Amino acid sequence: MNSHDVELGFSIRPVTAEDEALIDDFFAVMWDESRAFFNRHDGNHQSAIDFCRNPEEKCQYFLAEADGIMIGLVFLWDLHTTIPWLGIAVRENLRGRHIGRKLIAFAQDYARKHGKGGIQLTTHIANLRGQSLYETMGFRRMGIYGPSGEFYYLFRYTDI
């Protein structure tokens, strides 16, 4: 899929049991940098597949799809807490088209509608593109997350 293939837009929808092949394809074409930042040891890929096979109430996965191809993934976990965790990835050849912004806005709206106080995430210190995106979307860098050594970001709803 070339970047001009997404001119008509895309949809964001919950991941279902039938999405394993889309998810496998999405992760198969992931570039090395994204694997290092987002899918170390194939963890996020396996978590998405596990969710397809056995959805849990404390997690929710959504995918962005255009013309039958998965172009992005966003998920929230620890939904049983006040401030769940966020994960996001966009197909590399489609970066720069604001897909990430739309995925984060979708997750922020979902969390708000479900009574959450905000969203948290961590990102690799070398993930400058991600850091810029998170800060544009209202996340504040709070420091270093001890267990991983990554930057810790927090988004809080200001009107609740």
Side-chain angles (χ1 to χ4, degrees):
M1 172 180 265
N2 295 323
S3 58
H4 67 276
D5 291 335
V6 187
E7 295 299 328
L8 299 176
F10 59 91
S11 62
I12 301 172
R13 64 172 178 77
V15 166
T16 69
E18 292 77 33
D19 291 326
E20 280 193 47
L22 287 176
I23 292 167
D24 283 340
D25 175 66
F26 180 79
F27 281 94
V29 299
M30 191 172 276
W31 296 350
D32 289 342
E33 181 182 68
S34 289
R35 282 191 178 93
F37 292 160
F38 182 75
N39 196 38
R40 277 176 253 145
H41 309 293
D42 206 36
N44 280 326
H45 177 206
Q46 286 307 307
S47 293
I49 294 298
D50 290 345
F51 182 82
C52 284
R53 294 176 182 169
N54 189 23
E56 299 179 42
E57 287 186 19
K58 67 180 184 175
C59 301
Q60 186 58 61
Y61 284 72
F62 301 93
L63 63 81
E65 185 177 17
D67 299 325
I69 296 174
M70 183 174 163
I71 63 170
L73 176 69
V74 65
F75 53 93
L76 294 165
W77 72 96
D78 285 346
L79 283 170
H80 61 289
T81 65
T82 304
I83 301 178
W85 291 89
L86 174 110
I88 180 174
V90 173
R91 195 175 278 256
E92 277 89 355
N93 65 327
L94 298 174
R95 288 185 177 169
R97 304 185 60 82
H98 304 294
I99 296 165
R101 287 182 189 197
K102 291 176 183 174
L103 288 168
I104 290 175
F106 183 91
Q108 288 170 324
D109 186 55
Y110 181 91
R112 174 186 280 282
K113 286 179 180 175
H114 287 82
K116 304 304 171 189
I119 300 171
Q120 58 189 327
L121 64 87
T122 62
T123 191
H124 195 281
I125 60 173
N127 185 2
L128 301 178
R129 180 186 292 264
Q131 294 164 32
S132 177
L133 171 63
Y134 306 137
E135 291 167 14
T136 296
M137 297 302 295
F139 286 81
R140 289 187 49 218
R141 184 185 308 170
M142 305 303 288
I144 302 292
Y145 185 69
S148 67
E150 296 178 312
F151 284 139
Y152 174 77
Y153 279 87
L154 179 64
F155 171 82
R156 297 287 309 226
Y157 299 105
T158 58
D159 59 343
I160 57 173

